[in-house]
């Protein structure tokens, strides 16, 4: 039992600020390392290959992100489900739950690999991939498709740990993974000149190592996780599988809507050529810096809300959300100041192409338009995930992705005639369509009448 307590972090009692710090800091470091994954690829490919290479991995990674949305959906769903089991002290149900998550995620990972191999070229054509980048983007996608199962596996194990309130060990796993990725990038892209394919190989190798180490940890501490790793435990338990599917599929579709909308905007941007494509890629990576803080706070709020809803401690739910908001607003204030004051310097971290650098101030001004919504988004989205309202998450995301992001980008860029800047503006205005309804739902108090998932 002592080992169980060492892994399970009970957020229903104790100082909530300390709970947030001990949970969120490791997740922040993990997010920072995940961001390093993407930025290392961008920096090294930008240095050794140039704008065409940046365009290739920008487009290829967008497709790869869409392929992994099912894993992310089941990661969020599994984390929420496990956190509610922990909050309700239903430890006996963890064995079937974890085994079911393993089986479902494994099957989906294999299916996504097949999809990637079969449809990479048609997808790249749909995205108006520039001719200079097409071959590199295809090679990037093919390599990532072969290793997508490792990406699914890592996210699955991390979700199990975070659902139990343990955010420190996923940090260790991704630290190792990032070191492998950096070494692989320098060797495969810098030394062996494998271009975008080398960056893909480095990413997959890093995630494979991370997953294997995480799996070994899970096996060695199986008693603490209440999972026995017996063959029968991997057979999906019907009730648990249905509940996880109901919870996770909307989360997966939620992520998919955002990724598809990003691919749509990217397709519009790509019609302006390789420089515009590289600008969108670099700018998107810089904007994703906010994920270091916001992703950590969203993950904390999700687990905290899940546990305290199950324990019927609504005051702690409110307090945790307000703590999260304070952090994300402060972080965005600092980040936006840097973006607007030093736009070219920020872009120069990835590329020295003068044409790309000339677009930096315009791109940063578009980020500023959406910054308030982005600052508020993660705590409220984490709250909706934590209470298990996957249908509402899906609705908001469809509204954001398909109705707002795609429609606004088209209307402002093409109909209003603002072109490239209009595409960027539409992309960053869209988050208001998620954030404002989520705030209204939270302050309405309707969520207090929801029943538990577990």
């Amino acid at each position: 039992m002592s080992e169980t307590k060492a892994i399970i972090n009970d957020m229903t009692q104790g100082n909530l600020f300390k709970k947030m710090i001990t949970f969120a800091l490791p997740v922040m470091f993990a997010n920072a390392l995940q961001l390093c994954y993407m930025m290392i690829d961008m920096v090294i490919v930008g240095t050794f290959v140039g704008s065409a290479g940046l365009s290739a991995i920008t487009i290829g990674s967008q497709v790869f992100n869409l392929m992994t949305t099912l894993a992310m959906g089941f990661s969020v769903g599994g984390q929420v489900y496990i956190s509610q089991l922990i909050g309700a002290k239903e430890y006996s149900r963890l064995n079937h739950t974890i085994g079911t998550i393993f089986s479902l995620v494994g099957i989906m990972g294999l299916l996504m690999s097949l999809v990637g191999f079969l449809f990479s070229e048609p997808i790249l054509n749909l995205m108006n991939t520039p001719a200079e980048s097409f071959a590199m983007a295809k090679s990037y996608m093919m390599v990532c498709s072969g290793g997508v199962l490792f990406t699914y596996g890592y996210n699955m194990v991390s979700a199990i740990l975070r659902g139990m309130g343990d955010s420190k060990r996923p940090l260790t796993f991704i630290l190792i993974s990032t070191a492998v990725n950096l070494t692989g990038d320098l060797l495969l892209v810098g030394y062996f000149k494998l271009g975008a394919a080398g960056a893909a190989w480095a990413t997959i190798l890093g995630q494979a190592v991370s997953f294997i180490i995480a799996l070994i940890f899970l096996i060695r501490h199986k008693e603490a996780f209440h999972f026995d790793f017996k063959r029968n435990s991997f057979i999906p338990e019907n009730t648990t599988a249905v509940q996880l599917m109901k919870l996770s599929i909307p989360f997966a579709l939620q992520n998919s809507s955002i990724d598809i909308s990003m691919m749509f905007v990217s397709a519009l941007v790509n019609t302006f050529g390789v420089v515009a494509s590289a600008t969108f890629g670099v700018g998107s990576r810089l904007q994703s810096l906010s994920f270091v803080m916001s992703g950590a706070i969203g993950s904390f709020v999700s687990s905290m809300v899940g546990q305290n809803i199950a324990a019927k401690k609504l005051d702690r739910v409110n307090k945790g959300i307000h703590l999260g908001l304070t952090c994300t607003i402060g972080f965005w204030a600092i980040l936006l100041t840097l973006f607007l004051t030093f736009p070219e310097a920020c872009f120069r971290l990835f590329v020295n192409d003068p044409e790309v650098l000339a677009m930096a101030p315009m791109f940063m001004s578009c980020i500023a338009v959406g910054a308030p919504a982005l600052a508020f988004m993660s705590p409220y989205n984490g709250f909706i995930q934590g209470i298990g309202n996957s249908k509402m998450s899906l609705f908001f995301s469809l509204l954001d992705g398909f109705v707002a992001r795609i429609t606004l980008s088209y209307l402002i860029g093409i109909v209003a005639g603002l072109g490239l800047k209009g595409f960027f503006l539409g992309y960053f205005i869209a988050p208001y369509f998620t954030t404002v309804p989520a705030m209204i739902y939270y302050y309405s108090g309707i969520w207090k009448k929801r029943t538990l998932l577990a």
Side-chain angles (χ1 to χ4, degrees):
M1 183 60 71
S2 60
E3 188 180 9
T4 297
K5 291 182 177 179
I7 290 176
I8 294 175
N9 180 8
D10 187 352
M11 298 185 188
T12 63
Q13 54 188 339
N15 185 288
L16 196 52
F17 179 74
K18 290 181 179 179
K19 294 286 184 180
M20 182 182 72
I21 295 300
T22 56
F23 183 94
L25 280 179
V27 180
M28 282 179 60
F29 284 119
N31 289 345
L33 291 171
Q34 278 190 313
L35 191 60
C36 282
Y37 251 73
M38 299 183 291
M39 290 192 168
I40 286 169
D41 288 348
M42 296 288 284
V43 170
I44 294 178
V45 171
T47 300
F48 290 98
V49 183
S51 295
L54 286 174
S55 173
I57 65 171
T58 296
I59 297 167
S61 63
Q62 287 170 0
V63 180
F64 182 56
N65 288 340
L66 179 60
M67 291 170 61
T68 61
T69 51
L70 281 175
M72 297 303 295
F74 272 80
S75 294
V76 174
Q79 177 178 329
V80 171
Y81 196 82
I82 288 173
S83 69
Q84 291 200 4
L85 290 176
I86 297 298
K89 305 295 189 292
E90 293 280 353
Y91 301 135
S92 62
R93 298 175 59 185
L94 288 172
N95 191 62
H96 281 307
T97 299
I98 294 173
T100 300
I101 293 172
F102 260 98
S103 298
L104 293 177
V105 170
I107 292 170
M108 289 183 296
L110 292 173
L111 289 174
M112 282 299 104
S113 288
L114 184 61
V115 169
F117 284 129
L118 294 177
F119 299 104
S120 59
E121 191 164 322
I123 292 171
L124 291 174
N125 282 323
L126 283 174
M127 294 185 66
N128 298 317
T129 304
E132 306 96 311
S133 308
F134 195 95
M136 288 186 285
K138 183 178 178 181
S139 64
Y140 185 94
M141 276 190 62
M142 296 298 284
V143 173
C144 288
S145 297
V148 72
L149 191 61
F150 296 118
T151 305
Y152 273 51
Y154 165 74
N155 281 285
M156 173 188 60
V157 176
S158 294
I160 292 169
L161 286 163
R162 287 172 180 160
M164 293 184 171
D166 181 359
S167 59
K168 295 179 181 178
R169 289 169 181 87
L171 169 62
T172 302
F173 303 147
I174 198 171
L175 179 62
I176 296 169
S177 181
T178 302
V180 173
N181 186 44
L182 173 59
T183 304
D185 269 326
L186 291 172
L187 287 174
L188 299 176
V189 181
Y191 185 76
F192 290 106
K193 310 296 182 184
L194 296 182
W201 275 112
T203 296
I204 293 303
L205 286 172
Q207 295 190 349
V209 171
S210 180
F211 170 59
I212 292 169
I213 292 174
L215 189 60
I216 291 171
F217 173 80
L218 213 62
I219 294 172
R220 288 183 175 178
H221 300 84
K222 58 186 179 182
E223 292 84 5
F225 291 98
H226 301 271
F227 183 60
D228 56 22
F229 276 92
K230 293 180 180 178
R231 182 181 299 177
N232 290 340
S233 298
F234 288 97
I235 300 175
E237 196 271 326
N238 289 338
T239 303
T240 303
V242 169
Q243 191 63 267
L244 280 169
M245 294 288 281
K246 286 182 179 178
L247 179 64
S248 301
I249 288 177
F251 285 141
L253 293 174
Q254 170 190 353
N255 292 332
S256 297
S257 70
I258 302 300
D259 288 333
I260 290 172
S261 68
M262 185 170 185
M263 290 169 65
F264 179 88
V265 176
S266 181
L268 293 174
V269 170
N270 292 341
T271 61
F272 281 75
V274 70
V275 171
S277 178
T279 300
F280 188 55
V282 173
S284 298
R285 288 291 187 268
L286 288 168
Q287 184 261 320
S288 65
L289 282 170
S290 65
F291 180 72
V292 172
M293 168 66 79
S294 62
I297 295 301
S299 185
F300 161 75
V301 170
S302 178
S303 291
M304 179 275 302
V305 169
Q307 290 191 22
N308 283 284
I309 283 284
K312 304 185 186 305
K313 295 186 176 181
L314 301 185
D315 288 343
R316 287 178 69 83
V317 170
N318 293 324
K319 185 177 180 180
I321 292 171
H322 294 151
L323 283 172
L325 283 169
T326 302
C327 293
T328 55
I329 292 170
F331 185 80
W332 255 105
I334 295 171
L335 192 63
L336 191 60
T337 300
L338 292 174
F339 283 171
L340 294 178
T341 307
F342 309 106
E344 293 92 347
C346 292
F347 265 64
R348 198 172 281 112
L349 293 172
F350 300 93
V351 64
N352 289 316
D353 188 330
E355 292 183 89
V356 176
L357 295 177
M359 290 189 179
M362 179 268 285
F363 189 92
M364 293 306 196
S365 68
C366 294
I367 290 181
V369 173
L374 294 168
F376 281 80
M377 180 185 292
S378 289
Y380 288 117
N381 284 352
F383 153 72
I384 292 174
Q385 291 170 359
I387 63 176
N389 199 335
S390 55
K391 293 180 180 178
M392 179 167 285
S393 289
L394 173 60
F395 173 74
F396 286 166
S397 295
L398 293 176
L399 187 65
D400 173 2
F402 293 119
V403 178
R405 202 173 300 251
I406 291 177
T407 303
L408 288 173
S409 296
Y410 181 83
L411 289 176
I412 301 174
I414 295 178
V415 177
L418 292 186
L420 192 60
K421 184 175 182 179
F423 301 151
F424 296 155
L425 279 173
Y427 185 80
F428 288 111
I429 291 173
Y432 287 99
F433 286 75
T434 295
T435 304
V436 173
M439 292 173 64
I440 293 171
Y441 177 70
Y442 169 69
Y443 287 108
S444 73
I446 298 173
W447 55 274
K448 297 177 182 178
K449 300 177 183 179
R450 285 185 57 82
T451 57
L452 296 179
L453 298 167

